[in-house]
Structures are given as structure tokens and as C-alpha cells.
Amino acid sequence: MEVLDLVPVWTVLLALAVFYYVVFDGFDLGVGMLYGLAPDQSMRNAIMDSVAPVWDGNETWLVFGGLGLLTAFPLAFAIIIPAVYFPILVMLLALIFRGVAFEFRFRHERLRRFWDGAFCAGSILATIAQGVVLGAFIQGFKVDGRQFGGGSFDFATPFAFVVGVALLAGYALLGAAWLVLKTEGALQDWARRAGRLCLIGVLAGIVVVSVWTPLANAGIAQRWFSWPDIALLAPVPIITAVIAVVEWYALTHRYELLPFLGAIGLFLMSFLGIAISLWPMIVPYRYTLWQAAAPESTQAFLLVGTLFLLPVILMYTAWSYWVFRGKVRGDVGYRP
Amino acid sequence: MTLDPVLLSRLQWAWVISWHILLPAFTVGLASYIVVLEGLAFFTGRDIWLRISAFWTRIFAVSFGMGVVSGIVMPFQFGTNWSRFTDATAAVLSPLLAYEGLMAFFLEASFLGVLLFGRRLVPAWAHFFAAVMVAFGTLLSSFWILATNSWMQTPQGYKLVDGRFEPVDWLAIIFNPSFPYRLLHTVTAFYITTAFVVMGVGAWLLRRQRAPDDARMMIRMALDLLIVLVPLQMFLGDQHGLNTLEYQPAKLAAIEGRYDTVDPVPLTVFGIPDDAHATMHDDVEIPDLGSLILTHSWSGRIKGLKEWPPDQRPPVGPPFFCFRIMVAIAFIMLFVVAAGQVMRWRRRLWQSSRFLWLLQYTAPLGFIAVICGWITTEVGRQPWTVYGLLRTADSVSPSLTGTDVVISFVCYVAVYLIMYPTGIAVMAALVRSGPLAPGLPHRHEGGLPSQPFESAARAVPNSPR
């Protein structure tokens, strides 16, 4: 009894969850990278404090994204995750180091430097690993029936690592923009300068990946450059260029919120670009969203709860951001 | 020697889940304890509750952080190592896991920030509310993850379509036969584990005369909880056993080390199981007692493992030994708690440094019992991932080679061997720093001071420092 097709609903929900994760854990992973480059200890403390109350909630969206994919499109989960066995391993271990560093660095004096390093290196490795997963996803996987049919190192191509580095610049830009928003004085100025460098890196990354993708993939090239698709797709690079100019302007003037919004805008356009290129595939070039979908009763069962709980979650997440609103205060964080 | 990806994946799973479960075993109970303390502080306004609560909240922050990061590893294991299990069961099991994320993880994560850092930023009632939400989150998490595990043990409410499980009745799936028993037994175990830690830490503080009022209060509260929960847990364990007898008789036979079907059944106290020859060596038995305990009648019949073909029998060793360790710990706990109450009644509890020493050294017993219980039920489920329906050997990701899993396993081992000792050292340092002195401005619970002069200000007045 086909009453309502839930696949589009879940596609939108999952896309929103992944995008939310990318923006929110993106900025706190980015903050983690900048942490290692910050000029002095007091700045590092302020950087850490700017994400201390929220990082845990942000990372929860990774779990939700993973479990959402598992529930709504289990076939995709069962094929993609084994295919990126090692990037996932690196990401999980890096997130472990990074996560416990919040707690350990202030309480383990002798190893403070080790955990400082772990926080920064963990953030970098986790980001590269996520970028590699994305790169591998765009490349596509060798599929054997309902299982991944390739080897565990198939993911490791130059293209995947380039996407990893591009994502590094992207998260660092989000992190710098977050610091512009949450800090003041010398640290804010430093974050602006860092942000401009990151922006250059991001634009370079977007250009390289955008040129490489159609060259490496005839299917995508055909979709991009055939009429009328090219007219429909053309706004994406144009809007991206406009946002890039605005972002540069925001980072060179005294705007506080605009750099963060601009960085989100750049991510949104990249996200849309990938989505348009791959639609309607969830296991690229093999299974569509509909072919990989869970039985309707599974999707419906979780949807009922999600539609009820997600607004509640967003409400209390907003509340916890509200509690810690404004500039970073010296007395809120992992030390007095 | 060829490397078997199935065996290695199982070892890797056992490694990451065993370390992970130690944290919920502690944080589920501790979150509820903090709610009680915060509630008492909120409604009575007495300083002592705030001090004890702040002390345990600092420790909670460390253990919870470790629980989060080691927990994120778990759902990805389903994909990386067990993709065929995932493909077969996702339609039934994944919503349960997703509900755990939706209901529990978000609740915990969002309110944790307020609990740890928000005492001076939000009204007192909101801070108390945050503590309640964190604890509620830990219990919801237990609910969903144990529903998932229980379905793997006693599946129902599904239909098989092309070798994959599809849902038919969600209530039947969630409230499957072993779930109520497993949920109560596990959550009670977590509370007991935490109470023993609280008692042990109280004893440690008291023996050094650090914050003695606070320490005595911790011990009193823990003893009062335990005198109810430890006997209750023995009853729940017995009920869980009856449930296992009904739904997973092969597991029960393994637990009892019973290869041959006999009645009445003796109780095998000890023995060396030999799966290859399906026999127990050097066994010590008490006649008839097995029937009484397992079936609650003197002549009850228990099927021995030989009733199942060899490829459907679980290994006997791990369930047999781990179950006996768990039961032994239960009796030690009962003795400690009963002795504590008697000494308290005769007003000799605080004077006996030997008993305080005992409390200190029995503090980790709960963790050992939890691990043993977990091994008993999980190894007892073998050779199946979904009991009787999906084999463990048919669950693993087909693309994995033994070498792949060796590499990842070694990485997990290395990282956990860095994280856990450091975490334990950090928590031990927090215990050593003791509850805060009254009258000092309340530090938020987030951390230790970074400056030496602040450390001095934290010392409790009657501490030797």
C-alpha cells in the first residue's frame, strides 16, 4: 500500500543533517587546527573555550548522520562504509584523541604538550579523513551485488586526498570565522588574517576539485556540459564567486557575523554542486536513493519520532548556544 | 597461519565494546547520583550537597567525554566490519539505534554543556533541570541499545524477505522476550557499579581525613542504595536466567557447563570445559541443586549441549567461567554491604579502618562483574549474531582481508591503551584534589586550576596539606 513516498523526505532530512554536521563540527574541527597555530597560550585557551561547551553536541550530528544513513538507506551504509574502512578508522581514532584532549590537557600537567598536539593533529586528521571519504564517494565504488566488491585501499587515489586537503582549508575557514565571531582584540585580528589565508585555500580547492571531477568522470562531465543542464547549473559557480568576494570583504573589514555566514554559504554551494552532480545516486553510479531505501515501515517508524524530536533537539541546542552566547569569557571553559 | 577476518573482527569488536561499556557502567549511575545531589542542593540549599555534586560532576565530565568518543566508534563498526549483518538486519535494528541517537545523545550532549559550565550562567532550577536531562538521556540510551542487543538474542516481530529481516510489529521488536530482564539487570548493575565506586572513593577520602563529612555522606548514601539493589540484582539475575532457559537453552547449557542432558541436574561449581570432546574435566558438582536454581524445582530438566549439532553450540569456557566470577562478585558485594550496614547500626563503621580499606579495594568489583556478565551473554549467543537465524561467520564485511583487520585492531588497541590509563590517571587526580572547601566561590565543574596559588585555595581546611 503505497500511501506516501518517504524517500524524498529522508533524502532532505539526511542532507540537512549532514550539512548541519559539516558546518557545526566543521567549525570546531577548524578551531582545533587553528589552535595549533595560535601565537600564545592565552589565545589557545580562549580558542579552546570558544568550543568547549558545544563540541560534544556538534559531534553528535555525525552519529545521527551515520545512523540516519543506516536507517533510511541501509544498502548505501553497508556498501560505502566498508569501502572507506581505513579513512573511517583514522577519523574515529583522530576524533578520540581530539575529544579527550578537551578534558585531559588541563588535568594532566606533565603531558599538556602531548594533548595540545593531539587536539590539533586529531582535528587535522579527522578532517582529511572526512574529505577522503567524500572524494572516494565522488569517485564511486566497485559494487558486487549488495556488497562492496573492491579492496580496502581502493579509496586511496590522488583525487581523494586532494578533496581531503580542500576540506581542511574549508573547515579552517569555518573555524577562523567562528573565532572572529566569538573573540575580540588581538585574537580576533589574528583570526581574520588566518581566515583570509584559509579562504584562498578554499577557493583553490574548489577550483581544483571542480576541474578534476569532470575530467576524471565522463558521466559527470556530460551532465555538467550538456544543454539544458548547463543553464540550470550555471548559477552555482556564479553565486559561489559572489560569495567568495563578499567573504573576502568581510574578512578584511570589521564584520563579525558575516565571515561565518559567508563560509557557510561557500559550503552550501559546494554541497549543492555535489548533490546536483550525483543525483539521484546514493551509492554513486550504481544504486539510486530509491533502490537503496529501507522498507517503508522502517523509514516511517523513525520518521514519526524524528519529526517530533528534531524540532525539540534544535530548540534545546539553540538554548545551549544561547547560554554561551557572546564573546568567550575567561571564566567559562575547562579552567577557572 | 592465515589471518581470519571473522575472528579478528570479533576480537576488535570485543575490544572496543568492552572498553566502551565500562564508561556507561559508571556514567549511567553517576548521572543519576548527581541528579539526587543537585536536587538535594536545590531544595535544601545546604553546601554539602553542592560540594559533593561538584566533586562528582568533575569526574563525570572526564568519564562522559571518554564515553562519547569511544561510543562514536561503535555504530561505525556495523558498517566497517559487519556490513553483511548490517544489510540483513538494518531494516529492523537501525531505527532503534537511531532513536538512541535522537533521544539520548542529543539530550546528553546539549545539557552536558550547561551542567558542566553553566552553573553561573543559568538560574539554579535550570542547572538542576540540565542534570535531570543528562541522567534521563543516559537511561534512554540504555533502553534503546539494550533493546537492540536483546533483539539479537531473542528476535521476534520480523519477517524474512530475500534473507533480510523486515519489520512487522515494532512493539514486538522492541519489547522482545529478553529485553525487560536485560534492561533491568543491566541498569541495576550500572547503579551498583557506581555506588561501589562512590563508596570506595568516600573511604579513601575518609582514611586520609579529607573532607570527612562529605566522605561519610557518600558512604552512607551508597550503603543505603546498595542494601536494596544488591539483593534485588540477585533476584533479577535469577529471573534473567529463567528467561534464558526458555529462549536460549544452548546458552544456558554453556553457562552451566552441561554437555549431557540429565535430570535432576547437579550444580557444577567448577570444572575445565573441553568443547572438542564435549566433556567437563575435574568437575565439582552438587547433586540436584542445578535443577532447583535453574528451573525452581528439584527435578527440572536441562538440555545438554549434545542436543545441538556441534556447529550450533557456543563455546563453553568464556560463559562458564565469566558467569561464575559474576556470581562470586555478587556474593562478595552482598557481604560487604550487609557488613557495612551492621557496623553502621552498631556505630562502628567510621572507626574501622580495616573496613574502609575493604570498601576502597572492592570499588572496582562492579566493572569486573559487568564485563563478565557481558561476555557470558555475548559469547553464549554464538555462533549467531541474530540468535538461531544469522551466523556470525556470515555477518562480516566480505571485502575485508585478515591484514586489514589486523591493522585496524592494532590501532584500536594502541589508542585505547593511551586513552584509558590517561583517563584513569586524570580521574584519580580529581579524586585526590577532593571536594572543594565550603565558602569558596564556586568554581564551575569544568576543570582544575591552571595556577599553583589557586590549587592551594582549593584545599579543604581539614586536609593535611
Side-chain angles (χ1 to χ4, degrees), chain B residues 17-28:
Chain B
I17 191 94
S18 298
W19 285 108
H20 175 66
I21 200 176
L22 295 176
L23 295 160
F26 184 49
T27 53
V28 169

Side-chain angles (χ1 to χ4, degrees), chain A residues 85 107 146-147 152 298 301 333, chain B residues 83 87 91 99 404 408 444 446:
Chain A
Y85 189 82
R107 296 179 172 165
R146 296 177 63 87
Q147 292 290 333
S152 295
T298 302
F301 176 58
Chain B
S83 71
D87 185 41
Y99 268 121
D404 292 340
S408 62
H444 63 79

Side-chain angles (χ1 to χ4, degrees), chain A residues 56 61 67 70-71 74 77-78 81-82 85 89 104 107 146-148 152 297-298 301 305-306 313 316 329 333-335, chain B residues 62 79-81 83-84 86-87 90-91 94 97 99 102 106-107 117 121 164 167 398-399 404 408 412 423 444 446-447:
Chain A
D56 182 0
W61 286 84
L67 291 174
L70 173 62
T71 306
F77 189 90
I81 305 294
Y85 189 82
L89 174 73
F104 288 178
R107 296 179 172 165
R146 296 177 63 87
Q147 292 290 333
F148 171 60
S152 295
S297 89
T298 302
F301 176 58
T306 305
I313 289 167
Y316 59 63
R329 289 164 45 172
Y334 283 87
R335 77 213 131 72
Chain B
V62 177
T80 51
N81 292 71
S83 71
R84 278 199 284 178
T86 300
D87 185 41
S94 61
L97 295 169
Y99 268 121
L102 275 174
F106 282 113
L107 203 64
F117 308 119
L121 298 178
R164 291 192 295 281
S399 58
D404 292 340
S408 62
Y412 281 116
H444 63 79

Side-chain angles (χ1 to χ4, degrees), chain A residues 201-214:
Chain A
V202 169
L203 296 176
I206 290 177
V207 169
V208 170
V209 173
S210 303
V211 172
W212 198 331
T213 303

Side-chain angles (χ1 to χ4, degrees), chain B residues 69-387:
Chain B
V69 292
S70 64
I72 290 177
V73 170
M74 303 313 308
F76 286 96
Q77 296 292 313
F78 287 121
T80 51
N81 292 71
W82 303 100
S83 71
R84 278 199 284 178
F85 169 81
T86 300
D87 185 41
T89 63
V92 169
L93 289 183
S94 61
L96 311 189
L97 295 169
Y99 268 121
E100 184 189 14
L102 275 174
M103 288 188 178
F105 296 159
F106 282 113
L107 203 64
E108 292 164 349
S110 302
F111 285 101
L112 184 71
V114 177
L115 178 67
L116 299 187
F117 308 119
R119 199 187 287 282
R120 279 180 291 177
L121 298 178
V122 298
W125 66 264
H127 191 259
F128 174 50
F129 181 70
V132 174
M133 287 297 110
V134 170
F136 186 48
T138 63
L139 292 174
L140 282 173
S141 182
S142 310
F143 177 93
W144 288 107
I145 198 65
L146 290 171
T148 309
N149 179 269
S150 298
W151 187 86
M152 291 164 65
Q153 309 272 359
T154 50
Q156 67 171 25
Y158 64 88
K159 63 175 188 246
L160 272 167
V161 179
D162 300 335
R164 291 192 295 281
F165 299 91
E166 291 201 359
V168 173
D169 178 355
W170 286 107
L171 281 178
I173 289 168
I174 297 169
F175 295 97
N176 59 74
S178 66
F179 173 57
Y181 299 95
R182 183 169 285 104
L183 178 67
L184 289 174
H185 191 54
T186 308
V187 171
T188 309
F190 289 177
Y191 275 38
I192 291 173
T193 301
T194 308
F196 264 85
V197 173
V198 169
M199 211 156 61
V201 166
W204 188 89
L205 292 168
L206 198 55
R207 285 180 69 208
R208 279 155 193 79
Q209 284 299 303
R210 304 275 291 276
D213 292 341
D214 304 12
R216 274 192 282 267
M217 189 59 85
M218 290 178 204
I219 297 175
R220 267 199 291 268
M221 292 176 90
L223 275 178
D224 282 341
L225 181 70
L226 287 168
I227 197 67
V228 179
L229 288 191
V230 173
L232 175 70
Q233 179 71 334
M234 291 171 141
F235 170 74
L236 290 171
D238 175 58
Q239 295 297 309
H240 197 358
L242 293 181
N243 181 265
T244 306
L245 174 63
E246 185 176 349
Y247 291 95
Q248 295 179 295
K251 180 196 279 187
L252 193 92
I255 289 172
E256 292 306 318
R258 189 119 311 277
Y259 291 100
D260 296 292
T261 304
V262 287
D263 63 298
V265 190
L267 179 72
T268 308
V269 181
F270 187 77
I272 308 290
D274 179 350
D275 286 341
H277 301 98
T279 179
M280 291 294 276
H281 299 296
D282 306 323
D283 47 343
V284 181
E285 294 186 335
I286 303 173
D288 299 0
L289 194 57
S291 287
L292 182 69
I293 293 175
L294 299 168
T295 66
H296 291 198
S297 93
W298 284 109
S299 57
R301 183 186 179 88
I302 300 291
K303 275 166 61 169
L305 281 173
K306 284 181 183 166
E307 305 263 343
W308 286 270
D311 70 343
Q312 292 185 16
R313 296 178 198 164
V316 172
F320 179 78
F321 289 116
C322 288
F323 181 78
R324 273 148 191 74
I325 296 171
M326 179 174 73
V327 171
I329 288 175
F331 281 101
I332 296 171
M333 285 177 156
L334 188 65
F335 166 76
V336 169
V337 173
Q341 291 290 10
V342 169
M343 291 175 78
R344 192 169 144 200
W345 180 58
R346 294 166 67 179
R347 301 189 179 284
R348 289 194 3 222
L349 179 58
W350 313 123
Q351 287 77 42
S352 168
S353 74
R354 215 180 304 163
F355 187 71
L356 292 179
W357 179 89
L358 179 69
L359 289 186
Q360 199 179 313
Y361 283 90
T362 48
L365 279 186
F367 294 108
I368 301 170
V370 165
I371 292 285
C372 285
W374 202 245
I375 293 174
T376 302
T377 198
E378 295 298 274
V379 177
R381 193 193 60 224
Q382 300 302 327
W384 312 98
T385 45
V386 180
Y387 196 69

Side-chain angles (χ1 to χ4, degrees), chain A residues 240-264:
Chain A
T240 307
V242 172
I243 295 175
V245 172
V246 172
E247 179 74 353
W248 183 264
Y249 185 80
L251 283 169
T252 46
H253 293 75
R254 312 252 16 114
Y255 293 98
E256 298 210 319
L257 180 60
L258 194 55
F260 193 59
L261 295 179
I264 294 176

